[in-house]
Amino acid sequence: KQEVTQIPAALSVPEGENLVLNCSFTDSAIYNLQWFRQDPGKGLTSLLLIQSSQREQTSGRLNASLDKSSGRSTLYIAASQPGDSATYLCAPRGSGGGADGLTFGKGTHLIIQP
Amino acid sequence: DVKVTQSSRYLVKRTGEKVFLECVQDMDHENMFWYRQDPGLGLRLIYFSYDVKMKEKGDIPEGYSVSREKKERFSLILESASTNQTSMYLCASSLGPGIPYEQYFGPGTRLTVT
């Protein structure tokens, strides 16, 4: 069964810093991996989807990398802003049978101080 | 833009009541999912559906059932609500299997069972 770990669990940094959020997963047989953002009390917003054949995917100030063989993904946020404060979740999608849904990490709670 | 809507943002029910949570998507997606999210446990898959009238159990189906009579609508049913079903419930949809799809989430329903 896929297990997903996100480190750190929480992070507080001053505005303007570049930061890296880490995600590791135990089963490398994945189709793709999705990064989400969740604001308090709200649903999830998809940020980036990176295919298993890709190494990187970029959207604005966000860059996600994937090293499938080692079971790791990182989300890089450039020039952080207070509006980036949220919980960030990674979710690899497995290629095996079963749920066909995503397996979620518990997230990194990010606070950007003005 | 894909839109996933959930019938209620907040719901308070009494123990033993039958509870219906409704989810509607407007993008003709094949797949729909129900998750619950609890502090420290993350998101867990309850049920999912690949097509109309189809349903599959996720990781924690006990105490729940689902209905999918129309492609755009996926309902989660708590047959007899209990206090341990107090949680945030999230619905999601995606285009279909075999395609590098993203999951899109609704805003969530925070259910309190007293």
Side-chain angles (χ1 to χ4, degrees):
Chain A
K1 184 181 175 182
Q2 182 75 277
E3 292 182 7
V4 181
T5 303
Q6 291 189 244
I7 294 172
L11 184 62
S12 180
V13 299
E15 180 178 6
E17 284 200 8
N18 302 324
L19 35 103
V20 175
L21 309 182
N22 296 293
C23 171
S24 61
F25 47 94
T26 55
D27 184 354
S28 61
I30 62 170
Y31 283 135
N32 52 45
L33 184 143
Q34 203 165 346
W35 279 94
F36 293 91
R37 168 191 173 130
Q38 186 175 30
D39 294 293
K42 303 284 180 65
L44 277 65
T45 300
S46 180
L47 296 173
L48 288 162
L49 174 71
I50 182 165
Q51 301 298 334
S52 61
S53 58
Q54 294 178 305
R55 299 284 293 181
E56 286 189 1
Q57 187 70 253
T58 298
S59 175
R61 294 183 293 107
L62 304 179
N63 175 277
S65 68
L66 177 63
D67 184 344
K68 198 178 85 155
S69 61
S70 66
R72 288 186 296 188
S73 177
T74 61
L75 180 68
Y76 176 82
I77 303 176
S80 58
Q81 303 170 358
D84 295 330
S85 298
T87 298
Y88 291 80
L89 298 109
C90 77
R93 176 176 287 103
S95 58
D100 196 46
L102 299 170
T103 303
F104 287 85
K106 292 180 182 176
T108 294
H109 180 55
L110 177 64
I111 296 174
I112 307 298
Q113 305 153 13
Chain B
D1 280 353
V2 175
K3 193 166 184 182
V4 180
T5 57
Q6 295 183 229
S7 51
S8 304
R9 289 300 311 280
Y10 301 94
L11 210 52
V12 180
K13 295 292 182 180
R14 294 192 183 277
T15 302
E17 280 193 77
K18 190 169 186 175
V19 181
F20 293 86
L21 303 182
E22 303 282 339
C23 175
V24 177
Q25 50 90 8
D26 67 355
M27 282 301 292
D28 202 35
H29 281 178
E30 299 286 338
N31 297 344
M32 296 189 75
F33 306 85
W34 274 106
Y35 297 87
R36 64 177 281 177
Q37 185 178 31
D38 301 286
L41 297 177
L43 274 88
R44 293 177 291 167
L45 182 65
I46 305 171
Y47 266 98
F48 61 104
S49 169
Y50 288 145
D51 199 355
V52 176
K53 306 266 187 204
M54 272 197 60
K55 59 186 180 184
E56 296 284 343
K57 292 179 180 179
D59 298 321
I60 51 163
E62 296 77 20
Y64 303 94
S65 62
V66 290
S67 171
R68 195 167 180 200
E69 297 293 323
K70 294 185 178 181
K71 192 175 186 180
E72 67 270 18
R73 189 181 297 270
F74 191 36
S75 301
L76 180 70
I77 304 159
L78 287 65
E79 296 290 342
S80 178
S82 64
T83 54
N84 63 12
Q85 292 178 309
T86 292
S87 186
M88 169 72 101
Y89 289 87
L90 293 164
C91 174
S93 73
S94 62
L95 186 58
I99 300 169
Y101 53 89
E102 293 180 61
Q103 279 200 11
Y104 296 89
F105 280 77
T109 295
R110 183 163 294 282
L111 173 67
T112 302
V113 182
T114 61

